[in-house]
Amino acid sequence: MEHVHLAVEEDDLYSGYNDYNPTFDSEELENDAGFQQAVRTSHGRRPPMTAKFPGTAIGSRPLASSFGSRIPMASSMGRPMTGAMLDGAARPMTAVRAAGYTSSLARGSTFDPLGQSRGPAPPLEAKNEDTPEEKIKILEKKVNDLIEESCMAQSMGALQLALEKAKEAGRKERALVRQREQSGNADHINLDLTYSVLLNLANQYANNEMYPEALNSYQVIVKNKMFSNAGRLKVNMANIYFKQKNYPKAIKFYRMALDQISNVHKEMRIKIMQNIGVVFVRMGQYSDAITSFEHIMSESPNIKTGFNLILCYYAIGDRERMKKAFQKLISVPLGIDDEDKYIPSNDDASSNMVIEAIKNDKLHQMERELKTLAEKYIMTAAKLIAPAIETSFATGFDWCVDMVKTSQYVELANDLEINKAITYLRQKDFNQAVETLKTFEKKDSRVKSAAATNLSFLYFLEKDYDQADRYADLAMNADRYNPAALINKGNTVFVKQDYEKAAEFYKEALRNDSSCTEALYNLGLAYKRLNRLEEALDCFLKLHAILRNSAQVMYQLANLCELLEDPQQAIEWLMQVISVTPTDPHALAKLGELHDGEGDKSQAFQYYYESFRYFPSNIDVIEWLGAYYIETQFCEKAIQYFERATLIQPTQVKWRLMVASCYRRSGNYQKALETYKDIHCKFPENVECLRFLVRLCTDMGLKEVQEYATKLKKVEKMKEIREQRVKSGREGSGRGRREGREGSAGSADSSHSSSSTKGERLSARMRSLPASNEPYEASSPKELDVSYVDPLGPQMERPKTGAKKRVDDDDFADEELGDDLLPE
């Protein structure tokens, strides 16, 4: 009965069945925000939860609602419920942990595997730059930046700026060291940074040629035992001593560096030994230099060392060792691939593209430069030792040629043969040079063309135009694309005055080589001779764009502008000429002539006077200056110019008459009388002199007047008889010009063509002197016919600017001798 419970009246056994839980209200689900979120996201697709502990009856278990909360709900049925929770602990969900699920979430938390509900991350804490560690780091970065800026400035050529940056880096690095010591971190000093600062500073001192400061900086590094491998910097110190020409100390430091570099660094040791050899050469100790170079050639042979070894043997005059060294030189391996690999060998487009890409890359350019350098050293060595290794240079050249033919430089043999011919030319042995070049007529086309071009040039210089033409044809037949051969052919046609055909050859040469300045120059001259002045002007303008400072080209442009009746432009071009060659008397005289033609006498006088200062033997300049002083009533100053003309042309009587006339104009009648008497002694048959003597003696009341009057009548009668004889002698042979005896006024006129269109000569004025009150009146001077020689090629022997002789402005030159040869 203890276990029997009687029903209490207050307890309703059927209560609770009508209780309504809003969780199960399906009518309001559309407005339930939690439920809609669960439907749209993975929150509502959780796997069903199984009960960890068996559930009991009602009321002990909360029920999860769509809001994520657990609402205890009494059940009217006593069945167990799955997914039950006991004491708030949920069963762990390990099967889906990899997807981001976890069982450690507390009941009532939302599913947020990405942590988006936590909001943005908090901002990073600002660094506290006031701490010693941060200050040290900032200062270290500044030092590194300054070192980098210094190196960049030095690479761009700003040496002073590079030095300033290096000094600033040194100051900041010392401040950094002090700061570390103050903060108690002296053990953590950055030795690499200190080393970099000191080394960069020393290098910048050396680049700025501040050698004592550089040596001090290097010494600081070398003496610091904390710097590893600092001993090799003694090479830099030795280089500085070498630049200072302190050769014993340079040797000492090179050897110290050599002792501190291990045998592992073989290449570095070889370079130091090469430097030691060069220093011994500078000191004249060739035996010690030979020892260093021979060791290098036995260990690691290279072209430069081989060439230096030959020079040392040449200096001591050891013939046999010169030969052995030359053989070693031509056997040095260059390590260069064959050129055939750059030639497309199949129809594979991709491989051909690769070959085309590497044909001009940096590596191939370096290979070509190395090969060119090797050929230059071999050619120079052969030309140096050829006269020394045998009794004659020809025999020596032949030995060198034989050696080269058996080496990898077989193509240099023909060039050596041509150099042999050029050596004959330098020795003025033209016959041997021609014979040597003729031996190439049966060689391959390239060599034959080069030899024939040189032969054509030689025969052209000797004015044997037929032979020059023959060898020019031979050179063209061997190589039609040889511009030098085409130019020589054009020159041989040019001298035959076939300017149209010459122009065609020059144009063909330009088509083969658009940078051939000789062809362009000659073409301009051909157009000038054909009176096609505009086309000639175009040629010389193009040439001026290539040769900006060529005085000859600018002079041709000035001459063409003058021919095109544009004197102002001609003056501008001539001003450019004298800016390049300010002491050229012919250009200055031409400027004076153009200013005179424009009516600017003062400028004309300035340029004529400058021309006279640099070249006081130009008779036209002297004549103009004398006439200018007479026009301006300074007869005394004109006397010195006419006296100089008398020295230049002592057989011309007109200059002496001018001197006497100047004395008379200036009022010095006694000196004028003495001058006229002196002229009469040297030219007793000169009519003008006798007339002036008669007039002067009459004016001065001298007794000699009757004597001179008698002589005058006699001379005039003889002159009249002579003219009649000449006239009667020429009546049967046609009209001709009367030839006066040398020393007469007629002779003076005949020496300067009376048909000249360039101005009236002074002698013409002199013929009218007796009929006028004044014995002399100024005349416009003759236009100067002066210009540069046209240098069509650098090989012609042409006058330099300011040459002391008159030259024709239409001369032209041949192609350069040895145009196809390597430079000496």
Side-chain angles (χ1 to χ4, degrees):
M1 294 297 290
E2 294 176 359
H3 299 286
V4 175
H5 295 279
L6 298 175
V8 184
E9 293 182 359
E10 290 79 14
D11 295 336
D12 187 1
L13 294 176
Y14 299 99
S15 62
Y17 286 99
N18 294 325
D19 291 343
Y20 179 76
N21 193 326
T23 303
F24 300 103
D25 186 7
S26 60
E27 295 178 358
E28 297 296 324
L29 288 179
E30 292 181 359
N31 300 324
D32 190 342
F35 177 80
Q36 294 297 332
Q37 181 184 2
V39 171
R40 287 194 298 268
T41 65
S42 61
H43 183 67
R45 293 193 292 273
R46 287 186 179 181
M49 299 175 64
T50 57
K52 185 175 180 183
F53 302 101
T56 57
I58 325 162
S60 64
R61 170 187 73 187
L63 180 65
S65 71
S66 62
F67 296 95
S69 60
R70 303 300 180 189
I71 302 174
M73 183 179 66
S75 174
S76 60
M77 301 177 66
R79 65 180 180 86
M81 298 180 64
T82 60
M85 178 176 126
L86 184 63
D87 298 331
R91 185 168 72 97
M93 297 163 51
T94 57
V96 290
R97 184 171 297 168
Y101 299 95
T102 176
S103 61
S104 63
L105 289 175
R107 294 294 180 179
S109 63
T110 58
F111 177 73
D112 188 13
L114 301 179
Q116 297 176 356
S117 62
R118 294 197 299 268
L124 297 175
E125 294 183 4
K127 289 184 178 180
N128 188 4
E129 296 184 358
D130 295 333
T131 61
E133 292 79 7
E134 288 300 325
K135 289 181 179 179
I136 289 172
K137 286 182 181 179
I138 293 172
L139 201 53
E140 275 189 355
K141 186 176 185 306
K142 287 182 179 178
V143 173
N144 282 315
D145 291 341
L146 285 170
I147 294 174
E148 186 175 345
E149 290 173 9
S150 175
C151 294
M152 292 299 294
Q154 189 267 334
S155 66
M156 293 186 291
L159 301 181
Q160 190 62 36
L161 178 61
L163 180 60
E164 293 299 326
K165 294 287 185 182
K167 288 180 178 179
E168 189 177 352
R171 288 192 293 268
K172 288 191 178 296
E173 193 273 335
R174 288 191 293 273
L176 174 63
V177 172
R178 287 195 300 269
Q179 193 163 347
R180 282 187 183 276
E181 291 175 351
Q182 292 172 2
S183 63
N185 294 327
D187 296 336
H188 297 86
I189 293 176
N190 192 342
L191 288 177
D192 291 337
L193 185 62
T194 305
Y195 181 85
S196 301
V197 168
L198 291 173
L199 178 59
N200 182 56
L201 182 60
N203 288 338
Q204 301 310 330
Y205 276 134
N207 292 332
N208 284 271
E209 299 182 359
M210 300 170 66
Y211 298 131
E213 293 85 351
L215 288 172
N216 290 336
S217 299
Y218 283 128
Q219 200 72 30
V220 170
I221 302 174
V222 171
K223 288 184 176 180
N224 195 330
K225 301 299 182 182
M226 291 188 295
F227 297 140
S228 60
N229 298 323
R232 65 178 59 193
L233 291 182
K234 291 180 179 178
V235 175
N236 294 15
M237 300 175 71
N239 291 340
I240 292 176
Y241 285 124
F242 179 81
K243 291 177 182 177
Q244 292 178 329
K245 297 185 179 181
N246 191 348
Y247 299 130
K249 267 202 168 182
I251 292 286
K252 175 184 175 182
F253 275 84
Y254 278 133
R255 285 178 170 167
M256 290 169 64
L258 195 65
D259 294 338
Q260 296 186 14
I261 295 177
S262 64
N263 292 327
V264 177
H265 305 284
K266 180 180 178 181
E267 187 176 352
M268 185 70 177
R269 291 178 62 86
I270 290 294
K271 288 182 179 179
I272 295 175
M273 291 192 68
Q274 188 168 346
N275 288 2
I276 292 173
V278 172
V279 176
F280 277 130
V281 170
R282 291 294 183 92
M283 297 173 67
Q285 300 179 16
Y286 298 112
S287 299
D288 295 328
I290 287 170
T291 303
S292 296
F293 292 143
E294 283 181 342
H295 176 75
I296 296 172
M297 291 300 288
S298 62
E299 293 290 331
S300 177
N302 60 79
I303 290 292
K304 287 186 178 180
T305 304
F307 181 72
N308 289 338
L309 185 59
I310 291 175
L311 293 180
C312 292
Y313 287 143
Y314 180 82
I316 64 176
D318 194 332
R319 293 187 177 184
E320 293 303 320
R321 295 171 85 179
M322 269 191 276
K323 289 184 176 181
K324 292 179 181 178
F326 185 77
Q327 291 173 338
K328 288 182 180 179
L329 178 65
I330 60 178
S331 62
V332 171
L334 296 179
I336 296 176
D337 294 332
D338 192 2
E339 289 287 334
D340 294 339
K341 78 172 187 178
Y342 297 107
I343 301 175
S345 57
N346 51 35
D347 297 333
D348 187 358
S350 60
S351 62
N352 290 345
M353 288 177 63
V354 172
I355 291 173
E356 192 66 28
I358 66 174
K359 188 181 293 185
N360 263 331
D361 63 354
K362 295 290 185 182
L363 179 60
H364 193 205
Q365 291 175 11
M366 186 183 70
E367 290 177 348
R368 283 202 298 262
E369 289 173 1
L370 180 60
K371 186 175 181 182
T372 302
L373 182 66
E375 291 175 350
K376 177 185 175 182
Y377 281 141
I378 292 170
M379 290 287 291
T380 307
K383 289 187 287 185
L384 177 69
I385 68 173
I389 58 177
E390 299 292 345
T391 55
S392 66
F393 92 92
T395 311
F397 255 110
D398 292 338
W399 182 86
C400 292
V401 169
D402 293 338
M403 290 297 102
V404 170
K405 284 181 178 178
T406 60
S407 71
Q408 56 184 324
Y409 304 99
V410 62
E411 67 275 5
L412 289 181
N414 292 323
D415 294 333
L416 278 173
E417 289 279 6
I418 293 180
N419 269 280
K420 179 181 174 182
I422 294 175
T423 307
Y424 278 125
L425 286 177
R426 291 198 179 107
Q427 296 178 352
K428 309 297 182 184
D429 193 348
F430 297 103
N431 293 331
Q432 283 292 338
V434 170
E435 290 300 321
T436 304
L437 290 172
K438 284 183 178 179
T439 59
F440 289 94
E441 292 186 17
K442 296 183 180 179
K443 296 291 182 69
D444 61 77
S445 59
R446 186 187 68 85
V447 180
K448 184 195 297 185
S449 180
T453 300
N454 291 342
L455 283 168
S456 175
F457 161 75
L458 289 174
Y459 283 121
F460 192 91
L461 287 183
E462 294 176 350
K463 296 185 178 180
D464 188 350
Y465 299 126
D466 293 334
Q467 285 287 357
D469 186 61
R470 172 174 171 267
Y471 280 101
D473 288 333
L474 183 63
M476 287 169 55
N477 293 333
D479 184 4
R480 185 71 186 189
Y481 297 99
N482 183 359
L486 292 166
I487 291 174
N488 284 347
K489 177 64 177 177
N491 290 348
T492 59
V493 177
F494 191 100
V495 296
K496 297 176 183 177
Q497 299 184 359
D498 190 352
Y499 305 122
E500 287 283 0
K501 193 171 182 181
E504 291 300 323
F505 283 114
Y506 298 143
K507 286 191 281 188
E508 185 176 353
L510 283 171
R511 285 194 293 270
N512 293 339
D513 183 4
S514 59
S515 63
C516 185
T517 55
E518 293 87 357
L520 191 57
Y521 197 105
N522 288 7
L523 182 61
L525 288 182
Y527 284 145
K528 188 176 175 183
R529 291 293 181 91
L530 292 169
N531 204 30
R532 292 156 63 175
L533 301 180
E534 293 290 347
E535 294 177 68
L537 187 64
D538 289 340
C539 290
F540 286 113
L541 285 173
K542 290 177 183 176
L543 195 58
H544 177 65
I546 301 172
L547 307 174
R548 302 295 300 180
N549 295 322
S550 173
Q552 291 86 353
V553 173
M554 290 187 282
Y555 193 92
Q556 287 296 330
L557 287 166
N559 182 249
L560 285 168
C561 290
E562 183 185 6
L563 294 175
L564 291 168
E565 299 180 355
D566 188 357
Q568 290 300 326
Q569 188 64 41
I571 289 173
E572 289 184 14
W573 283 115
L574 284 172
M575 292 297 290
Q576 293 189 44
V577 171
I578 64 172
S579 70
V580 177
T581 55
T583 60
D584 182 5
H586 300 301
L588 291 167
K590 192 67 178 177
L591 266 172
E593 177 190 339
L594 289 172
H595 281 293
D596 188 27
E598 292 292 299
D600 192 348
K601 291 286 185 181
S602 60
Q603 280 290 343
F605 169 75
Q606 178 184 347
Y607 288 117
Y608 272 123
Y609 183 76
E610 288 295 312
S611 175
F612 175 78
R613 280 202 316 122
Y614 293 120
F615 183 35
S617 300
N618 190 327
I619 199 67
D620 295 314
V621 174
I622 293 171
E623 183 179 4
W624 191 94
L625 287 171
Y628 175 80
Y629 279 119
I630 290 175
E631 282 183 357
T632 55
Q633 305 299 319
F634 291 101
C635 299
E636 297 88 348
K637 292 186 176 181
I639 291 173
Q640 61 173 322
Y641 294 103
F642 292 127
E643 285 179 345
R644 182 173 289 275
T646 302
L647 295 175
I648 297 170
Q649 295 180 345
T651 60
Q652 294 291 327
V653 69
K654 68 175 182 177
W655 305 121
R656 299 174 187 271
L657 292 172
M658 291 298 101
V659 173
S661 176
C662 289
Y663 281 126
R664 196 173 72 84
R665 279 173 169 267
S666 61
N668 194 346
Y669 297 108
Q670 189 61 39
K671 190 69 175 176
L673 181 62
E674 292 175 3
T675 305
Y676 280 125
K677 286 181 179 180
D678 184 62
I679 295 171
H680 178 65
C681 292
K682 294 181 179 179
F683 303 95
E685 296 183 359
N686 187 270
V687 177
E688 286 80 1
C689 180
L690 287 169
R691 287 175 182 171
F692 285 124
L693 279 171
V694 170
R695 289 186 61 180
L696 273 176
C697 290
T698 302
D699 294 341
M700 297 174 69
L702 299 177
K703 298 179 181 179
E704 294 97 331
V705 61
Q706 189 62 39
E707 178 186 352
Y708 290 126
T710 305
K711 289 182 179 180
L712 177 60
K713 290 179 181 180
K714 185 178 179 180
V715 170
E716 286 179 341
K717 188 174 181 179
M718 290 176 62
K719 183 178 179 181
E720 184 180 351
I721 294 172
R722 190 180 298 114
E723 288 177 353
Q724 289 177 356
R725 287 178 180 176
V726 171
K727 185 178 181 181
S728 62
R730 290 183 176 178
E731 284 178 353
S733 60
R735 287 165 45 182
R737 179 180 294 178
R738 178 179 59 83
E739 295 181 357
R741 194 164 47 178
E742 184 178 3
S744 66
S747 174
D749 294 337
S750 64
S751 65
H752 295 271
S753 176
S754 59
S755 62
S756 172
T757 61
K758 295 185 178 182
E760 185 178 5
R761 308 297 297 177
L762 292 178
S763 57
R765 285 288 183 186
M766 290 170 56
R767 289 198 295 272
S768 62
L769 287 178
S772 62
N773 294 329
E774 290 294 331
Y776 177 80
E777 293 180 6
S779 64
S780 59
K782 175 183 177 294
E783 182 180 355
L784 301 182
D785 184 15
V786 172
S787 66
Y788 286 84
V789 169
D790 294 343
L792 275 69
Q795 71 291 343
M796 281 296 289
E797 188 70 20
R798 59 179 182 273
K800 303 293 183 185
T801 52
K804 296 185 178 180
K805 63 178 181 180
R806 293 181 61 183
V807 292
D808 181 19
D809 66 328
D810 287 335
D811 291 343
F812 63 94
D814 302 299
E815 183 56 25
E816 181 180 0
L817 176 63
D819 182 67
D820 297 325
L821 301 185
L822 290 172
E824 296 180 15

